[in-house]
Structure formats: C-alpha cells, structure tokens
Amino acid sequence: MISEYRNYINGRFVESPNTFEDLNPANGELVARVHEADAALVDQAVRAGRAALPAWRNTSAEQRAQYLERIAAVIERRADDFLAAEVADTGKPVSVASRVDIPRGAANFRAFAAMIRMSGGEVYETPTPEGRALNYSLRQPLGVVGIISPWNLPLLLFTWKVAPALACGNVIVAKPSEETPGTATLLAEVMDEVGLPEGVFNLVHGFGPGSAGAAIVDHPDVDGITFTGESKTGATIMRNVADKVRPVSFELGGKNAALVFADADFDKAVAGVARSSFLNTGQVCLCTERVYVERPIFDRFVAALAEQARALRPGDPLDPETTLGPLISRQHRDKVLSYYALAREEGATVVTGGGVPALGGKLDQGCYVEPTIWTGLDQSARCLQEEVFGPVCHVMPFDTEEQAIALANDSRYGLASAIWTTHLDRGHRLAARIDAGLVWLNTWFLRDLRTPFGGMKLSGLGREGGRHSLDFYSELKNVCVQMSQ
Ligand code: NAD
Ligand code: 6OD
C-alpha cells in the first residue's frame, strides 16, 4: 500500500502541493508520496514552535521526562509499524532494524528522560571583600532548535537529537532525510498520541538546498542547528549560519581505522572487523573502511575476513536470513561503484566482491553491491582517504606500533577507531594517541548513551550524548549573588 507522508506543524498533519517519491531501495517500488515543505511551510513550523515555547520551557524536568517515557512506550507498542517503515525506506534487513534501529529509537527517549531528571547545575562559593558570593548555574532551553538528519540509521539518529532537545525544554523543527521520511512521520503520530502540546514538535519533509533543509538553516528565528550528515554539507551549513552566530552541533563523516595486532583474539578480531566493515551495508558513519593488520597475521586475517564477507547473504530485507541489504539509492550505488572502479585504477587487488550481485526477480531493481575487500593500495590512494560509505574495506600490513598509529592518524577525518589486541597496556596507550573522538578496544559500536559521542577534524564539531547533549540543547546561565555575610 502506498502511503502519504505529510508534514506535522502545530499539532496538525499538513499537505503541500509539491510531493516527491520515497522509493524502496531493495526493489525500486514506491513506498510513499512525501509532501515537501517549502520555505513558507518551514516558516509556519518555526512560528508554531516560537508560540509554543513559553509554556513548554516552563514545564518541569519531571513533566518533560514523563512525556519522553510515554513517547518511548508508544514506539515500543508500535514497534512493528516502525520496523515496517524503516525497512521499506532503507531496505535494511529486519534482523538489523529490529535489533538496532527501532529499540534505540525508544531507548533514546528513555535515556534522556532519566538524564534530565538527574541533571543538576554548578554551584561555587566565592570569597569577596564584603564576605562571600554564591554563583549558581541555570539550565535553560536554547529555544527553537532545527534538527537535520541523514538516512543511514533514520529513527536512531533522528531521536538521538529530538529526545534531548525536548528534555531540555526546547521546541523543534525537524527534517529527516528525503530518502527516509517514514519513521519520522510515525514519530509525529506518536507525539500526537501522547498529547505533546501543539507546536512543540514540528516535522518538515524535503531536501537540502532550495528546500526544507536550507529553509531551516536560513530561518532567522531558529536558535540552534543540530546536523548529522556529510562533512561537505556540514561545511555548507556552517557557512550559511555564520552571519547569524548560532550554536551548531555537527556529527559528520568518517574514514575509520581498525588496528589488529598479532596478539589479538584472532576469531573475535575477524568477526569484529567483518561487523564493523559491513553492518548496514557499510552505511554507518562509524564503519571501518581502513584495516591495518600486524604483518605476521596479515595473510591469514585477509583470508578469514574474505570468508566472512562471502558468507553475508544479500537478499530480501524481510527474509530473516538476509544479512546484507541494498545501498540507500541508485545515486549512492553509482557513487560506491565508482570507488570500486577507482580502486582498480589505483592498483588495488580485489580480494573479494567488487561488483553487483545477481539476486533475481524484483531485487535486481534494487541497489545491491557485493561486500568488497581490497589490498595493495598506497596509503595516499583516494580510496584510502575518501569516505565511500559502502560495504568495503582495505586491508594493509604494518610492522610496528608507531607505524600503526601513524597510518590510523593519516586521515582528514577523526570519528572512530577500533583496536584489537590482548595487550591491554598497548590498547590504552594507543587509545590516547589516536586522533578520533571514539575509540573501541576489542569491540565496536558498543554504546552507553551517557558517553561523549562525536568526531575530530572533518568528522564534526562538539559532542552529543549524556550531559554533552544537555549542554548543547541548553543555554547555561550563571547567577552571581552577593551574600550579606
Ligand atoms: P547529507 O549531508 O547528504 O544529508 C543529511 C541531511 O542534510 C539530509 O536531511 C539532507 O536533506 C540535508 N541537507 C543536505 N544539504 C543541505 C543543506 N545545504 N542545508 C540543509 N540541509 C541539507 O548526508 P547523508 O547522505 O544523508 O548521510 C550520510 C553521511 O552522514 C555520511 O557522510 C555519514 O558518515 C554521515 N553520518 C555521520 C554520523 C555521525 O554521527 N558522525 C552519523 C550518521 C551519518
Ligand atoms: O549511537 C549513536 O548515538 C550514534 N549517533 C550513532 C551514529 C552512527 C552513524 O551512522
């Protein structure tokens, strides 16, 4: 059945004369017609938010926490609807979306409900000539927050921003990716069901430039922007908000390294790197695209990793046996395949993959590619420096710890890395020297939502997660009181 995905503004679902198609990347079928918000609709959403702000910011943290918990409970109750929408929009296997995306959507609301309840301020007593002063901080909302999110983990990344923004008493104008409008639309239904006051959560659909994304960024009455997406888009948004001097939080791209030492638990390291390279068809910003392996185990490691890649089962996302879905779109597949071609031009050995699988039937209209492993590239190759965002990694040998660190840090990105070793001293030593916001030691993508999350260099600006999210979505005000004694 084809759906209509509408905008949600001031507590009502709003149509637009312009619609665009939301396609299922597993088979090319039409999932929904999406109502595109233009600058006028975005302006309505911002005004609705501004009008709702005084009452919402005056709710207590406890009241907001209770709303967040009710939202989580409805997501959990409607998990099958969310799962169906996410799988239709992304083509990701149900086995992935049911374990990763949908539960995290609910968990984000529960986590920030708990965090806002527990949050406190700073207090300092200051000696003064008259006696003493008391300084205390007030956490107040930023105001109208613009949220712009990508397509790779749609519900997870959208709610990662919506939940803390609401917890801190902000009102929201949020735009999901044009590729994946489904679960965000369901979330608007959830907001409606739990009775969130009109105008507190506003959803607009559309694209970036010349559409809803740019209209949020350009709007003079948006008080802060939080964005997840490509580094180039982040740079454009930064330029566009510069004159208005507004807070921005950017979670951007990555070209993440894994370092595998000869003393690692071999089987765990192979399974871990296979997961970190191929999960979600390589479309996770944290995915490993550069693997550096200590020379004595290099050949054995490459052979074992290739075996894991070949064992992946591309197929119908609704089949529980499927472990590899399609890429998000034809356009993205063209980009990934252009890197598959470039790798050959740059002199790579293609250990496995490198093409398009023949799956038969409707799936041949889908955007599938083979999981791919390269060796033999020079560190300066474009395929080792640019983010591909597909199911692909390059494996290179190293001889010393210093060389491993230098190779890992030889990137304009600095999001995540994974170190595989049983030598714990070495693990801690390397963790401190790797230029990445996130370091996993003998694991990958293991998340505690209280921890700082974000990247260095081209990978982002600021940190979200735990109190870092609360700080971004708040204005912290210091009050200084001269005490009489
Ligand atoms: P993208 O930058 O193309 O789009 C992201 C969002 O920005 C979309 O909603 C899009 O419509 C909007 N947009 C595009 N141009 C805009 C503009 N000029 N003004 C305002 N909005 C605009 O990214 P994508 O292709 O959707 O996502 C993939 C990228 O996201 C990869 O680079 C990946 O590494 C990155 N990512 C990073 C993280 C992280 O936490 N660091 C998480 C997920 C994805
Ligand atoms: O787990 C998270 O909180 C998070 N922001 C994950 C990002 C994954 C990138 O694709």
Side-chain angles (χ1 to χ4, degrees), residues 187 212 214 302 305 339 341 343 353 355 387 411:
L187 188 68
V302 172
L305 188 66
Y339 278 102
E387 183 187 47
S411 173

Side-chain angles (χ1 to χ4, degrees), residues 148-151 175 178 213 227-230 233 251-253 285 387:
I148 301 176
S149 65
W151 46 258
K175 190 193 88 60
E178 57 274 29
F227 167 78
T228 301
E230 279 196 31
T233 315
E251 299 190 329
L252 308 177
C285 58
E387 183 187 47

Side-chain angles (χ1 to χ4, degrees), residues 147-153 157 160-161 175-179 206-218 227-234 236-237 240 250-254 256 283-286 328 332 335 387 389 413 415 438 453-455 459-460:
I147 295 177
I148 301 176
S149 65
W151 46 258
N152 60 321
L153 301 169
L157 292 170
W160 177 239
K161 294 177 182 300
K175 190 193 88 60
S177 169
E178 57 274 29
E179 305 283 2
F207 303 82
S211 184
I216 293 174
V217 172
D218 293 342
F227 167 78
T228 301
E230 279 196 31
S231 302
K232 267 189 198 157
T233 315
T236 304
I237 292 176
N240 292 349
F250 287 160
E251 299 190 329
L252 308 177
N256 309 304
Q283 301 167 119
V284 179
C285 58
L286 312 163
I328 190 66
H332 189 52
K335 175 184 160 187
E387 183 187 47
F389 219 53
Y413 292 96
L415 185 55
L438 304 154
F453 184 98
S459 293

Side-chain angles (χ1 to χ4, degrees), residues 11-27:
R12 277 166 210 82
F13 285 92
V14 177
E15 301 202 341
S16 139
N18 298 326
T19 59
F20 60 93
E21 293 185 338
D22 171 25
L23 301 179
N24 182 332
N27 52 28

Side-chain angles (χ1 to χ4, degrees), residues 353-366:
V356 172
L359 300 172
K362 283 183 181 170
L363 298 182
D364 281 339
Q365 302 306 310

Side-chain angles (χ1 to χ4, degrees), residues 57 138-143 168 170 470 473-477:
R57 65 181 290 152
L138 286 179
R139 182 181 290 289
Q140 298 183 323
L142 273 182
C168 292
N170 298 284
L470 301 188
Y473 295 104
S474 307
E475 289 288 3
L476 282 179
K477 182 185 284 178

Side-chain angles (χ1 to χ4, degrees), residues 28-288:
E29 286 176 358
L30 184 64
V31 176
R33 287 184 209 290
V34 189
H35 290 256
E36 181 184 2
D38 59 7
L41 272 187
V42 169
D43 182 55
Q44 267 186 39
V46 174
R47 284 169 192 270
R50 183 62 62 194
L53 184 61
W56 181 246
R57 65 181 290 152
N58 275 339
T59 52
S60 65
E62 176 56 30
Q63 285 170 312
R64 296 195 296 273
Q66 287 180 16
Y67 273 112
L68 264 57
E69 281 175 343
R70 294 213 291 274
I71 294 165
V74 180
I75 295 174
E76 284 158 356
R77 196 193 76 225
R78 295 190 60 188
D80 288 348
D81 297 339
F82 276 93
L83 188 59
E86 202 77 307
V87 170
D89 274 2
T90 59
K92 65 177 76 192
V94 278
S95 55
V96 174
S98 61
R99 281 205 296 267
V100 180
D101 302 68
I102 311 306
R104 251 305 289 280
N108 285 337
F109 286 99
R110 291 207 188 283
F112 283 104
M115 286 187 246
I116 199 66
R117 280 193 174 109
M118 298 292 290
S119 76
E122 296 166 73
V123 181
Y124 302 99
E125 201 179 273
T126 314
T128 65
E130 297 82 16
R132 67 199 169 99
L134 189 66
N135 287 279
Y136 66 92
S137 59
L138 286 179
R139 182 181 290 289
Q140 298 183 323
L142 273 182
V144 181
V145 172
I147 295 177
I148 301 176
S149 65
W151 46 258
N152 60 321
L153 301 169
L155 183 69
L156 187 160
L157 292 170
F158 194 68
T159 53
W160 177 239
K161 294 177 182 300
V162 169
L166 289 180
C168 292
N170 298 284
V171 296
I172 290 171
V173 177
K175 190 193 88 60
S177 169
E178 57 274 29
E179 305 283 2
T180 54
T183 47
T185 309
L186 289 182
L187 188 68
E189 292 180 11
V190 173
M191 301 296 183
D192 215 54
E193 179 176 337
V194 302
L196 197 73
E198 287 174 4
V200 171
F201 171 84
N202 301 282
L203 172 73
V204 290
H205 289 298
F207 303 82
S211 184
I216 293 174
V217 172
D218 293 342
H219 200 290
D221 210 21
V222 170
D223 298 304
I225 302 275
T226 173
F227 167 78
T228 301
E230 279 196 31
S231 302
K232 267 189 198 157
T233 315
T236 304
I237 292 176
M238 199 161 182
R239 272 193 297 276
N240 292 349
V241 298
D243 284 348
K244 299 168 207 120
V245 191
R246 276 181 274 164
V248 290
S249 175
F250 287 160
E251 299 190 329
L252 308 177
K255 186 74 183 177
N256 309 304
L259 302 181
V260 184
F261 287 85
D263 64 18
D265 178 322
F266 186 82
D267 292 342
K268 274 193 191 150
V270 172
V273 172
R275 183 166 166 267
S276 71
S277 297
F278 303 126
L279 181 76
N280 207 39
T281 318
Q283 301 167 119
V284 179
C285 58
L286 312 163
C287 272
T288 303

